[in-house]
Amino acid sequence: MKLAIFAATGGIGRHVLDQALAAGHDVTAVVRNPQKLLSTQARVVVADLAVAEPAALQVAVEGVDAVLSGLGARSKSEAGVAWQGTRAITSAMRTAGVRRIVVVSAASIGTVPSPDRPRPPRHDPGDGFFTRHLVVPVIKKVLREHYADLARMEDVLHDSGLDWTVVRPPRLTDRPLTGTYRTAYGQNLRRGITVARADVAHCMLRALDQPETTKQTVGVAN
């Protein structure tokens, strides 16, 4: 399969890249800083998703079967890159006739207001009492700008007309790949507190072979 991987040097993107190459896929890695790439097997396209680069993005997605994105703000000052970058990516995909995209978001986003969902559900149906009333309120306050960015990114996908999948992990760890993580459609996982970045990457790649994940949010946790 021909894949374009955005933010391929990020915490999750680098695992997506390594696993995709190991599986024998033909990969284009889209990165801001190519010096951070540890692998030389992928075709590399340099693009800064914080600014619109339609020509570079068009080159990256032309002829691919699917796009995977680990795009997200690394600091408060970068908040906005997820939705703006995803808007540019999906625009390039439509122009190129590419329909399939899988992105990573975050477990709490289903309860975060956005322009298209100003009154989301108060609680995620998969969260237990402790998570709902203690963990989530604190995290949403600390990461308010990041979560607003991701919520708006999901709006972009819903409005794109493309075949999207959103993977929503809880707290990320650097534990090794297990391949035995749990998933749930449209909600978080009960007692799903953490998940390895490598497992999130595995889940994203696996979604490409699961048509039932199209236009779905997928909760994932170890």
Side-chain angles (χ1 to χ4, degrees):
M1 189 178 293
K2 291 185 177 181
L3 305 176
I5 300 172
F6 285 80
T9 59
I12 291 173
R14 60 187 172 85
H15 288 289
V16 177
L17 175 61
D18 290 345
Q19 292 177 29
L21 289 172
H25 295 299
D26 182 344
V27 178
T28 296
V30 187
V31 298
R32 179 165 53 183
N33 183 358
Q35 295 180 347
K36 291 185 177 180
L37 274 175
L38 300 179
S39 172
T40 59
Q41 300 176 41
R43 172 179 176 238
V44 178
V45 172
V46 178
D48 185 352
L49 273 297
V51 296
E53 297 186 36
L57 300 189
Q58 196 66 40
V59 168
V61 303
E62 193 72 46
V64 306
D65 299 301
V67 169
L68 300 105
S69 174
L71 189 63
R74 294 173 298 180
S75 65
K76 185 182 294 189
S77 64
E78 288 188 353
V81 68
W83 80 264
Q84 293 173 12
T86 301
R87 182 178 62 180
I89 292 167
T90 55
S91 176
M93 289 175 64
R94 286 192 296 269
T95 300
V98 179
R99 294 200 52 80
R100 192 71 173 103
I101 179 170
V102 181
V103 308
V104 64
S105 184
S108 298
I109 301 306
T111 62
V112 174
S114 67
D116 286 358
R117 298 177 73 230
R119 295 179 179 85
R122 186 176 178 184
H123 302 297
D124 187 284
D127 289 340
F129 180 87
F130 179 78
T131 300
R132 286 183 178 187
H133 298 286
L134 295 177
V135 177
V136 170
V138 172
I139 294 176
K140 287 168 71 173
K141 184 176 182 179
V142 172
L143 299 176
R144 181 174 54 201
E145 291 83 0
H146 295 75
Y147 278 8
D149 186 15
L150 293 174
R152 195 165 182 182
M153 176 194 73
E154 292 193 13
D155 284 352
V156 169
L157 291 167
H158 295 163
D159 296 339
S160 68
L162 302 177
D163 297 330
W164 53 266
T165 299
V166 173
V167 176
R168 290 177 174 169
R171 184 170 65 86
L172 298 166
T173 74
D174 287 322
R175 291 194 299 267
L177 173 68
T178 69
T180 58
Y181 49 85
R182 298 175 293 144
T183 59
Y185 292 155
Q187 65 178 59
N188 296 333
L189 279 300
R190 189 62 57 93
R191 295 180 297 279
I193 305 301
T194 65
V195 67
R197 289 179 174 85
D199 279 335
V200 177
H202 188 274
C203 180
M204 292 173 69
L205 286 164
R206 190 173 69 170
L208 297 177
D209 295 320
Q210 297 175 315
E212 64 271 22
T213 65
T214 300
K215 292 183 169 61
Q216 288 274 8
T217 59
V218 181
V220 57
N222 288 129

